Amino acid sequence: MTPARKKIHASIVVLATALAAGCAPTKPPLDELDAASRALAAARQADAPQLAAAEYRAAGRHFDQAQAAQRDEDYDAAAQLAAESLADSELALAKAKLARARAEVERLTRENEGLQGDLDSHPAALQQEQP
């Protein structure tokens, strides 16, 4: 083999090795699927199905798709879909917490209005308490 042919042969071997490594299957995204599953459960426990329904449904749909991709050994797609499910679950959880906080603010506002009404209707009681 001539020196030029050796260089070409070596380049082809390097290229083939790089391509084979690039095509080699990645590892199953078990950690990503586990994290997405835990996030979905946390959102469910925070009543996200009722308080952030669209985001919760998106999280569940992406998780189901991630599991299907995992079964099909499309690990890159499974990892991406698991990440999307995780993000959707976190958004659903945040929106559910926000909805609960808003409901609590409304409850306290109504309670304060009731107390203010009591104070307004009993001004004599206020004057007796003042020194």
Side-chain angles (χ1 to χ4, degrees):
M1 214 180 273
T2 66
R5 288 190 108 182
K6 285 183 184 179
K7 285 183 184 179
I8 292 172
H9 180 70
S11 296
I12 291 172
V13 169
V14 168
L15 181 60
T17 302
L19 286 174
C23 295
T26 58
K27 67 179 182 103
L30 300 178
D31 292 339
E32 292 89 340
L33 285 167
D34 187 46
S37 176
R38 285 193 313 270
L40 197 56
R44 185 180 320 107
Q45 289 176 340
D47 294 328
Q50 294 79 28
L51 301 172
E55 293 79 7
Y56 183 77
R57 279 193 310 273
R61 186 174 54 253
H62 285 133
F63 185 72
D64 291 344
Q65 292 171 344
Q67 288 181 313
Q70 166 83 5
R71 283 190 301 274
D72 293 342
E73 297 181 7
D74 186 355
Y75 301 136
D76 292 333
Q80 177 63 38
L81 288 162
E84 289 178 27
S85 175
L86 178 66
D88 291 335
S89 293
E90 289 173 348
L91 179 59
L93 178 61
K95 283 193 168 189
K97 286 181 178 181
L98 178 62
R100 285 185 183 280
R102 284 183 174 157
E104 182 65 9
V105 166
E106 289 175 15
R107 184 189 70 77
L108 291 172
T109 299
R110 285 191 307 274
E111 184 178 319
N112 286 344
E113 288 170 353
L115 291 171
Q116 187 63 49
D118 288 347
L119 289 173
D120 291 344
S121 65
H122 296 87
L126 283 178
Q127 292 173 354
Q128 291 174 358
E129 291 179 16
Q130 293 178 355

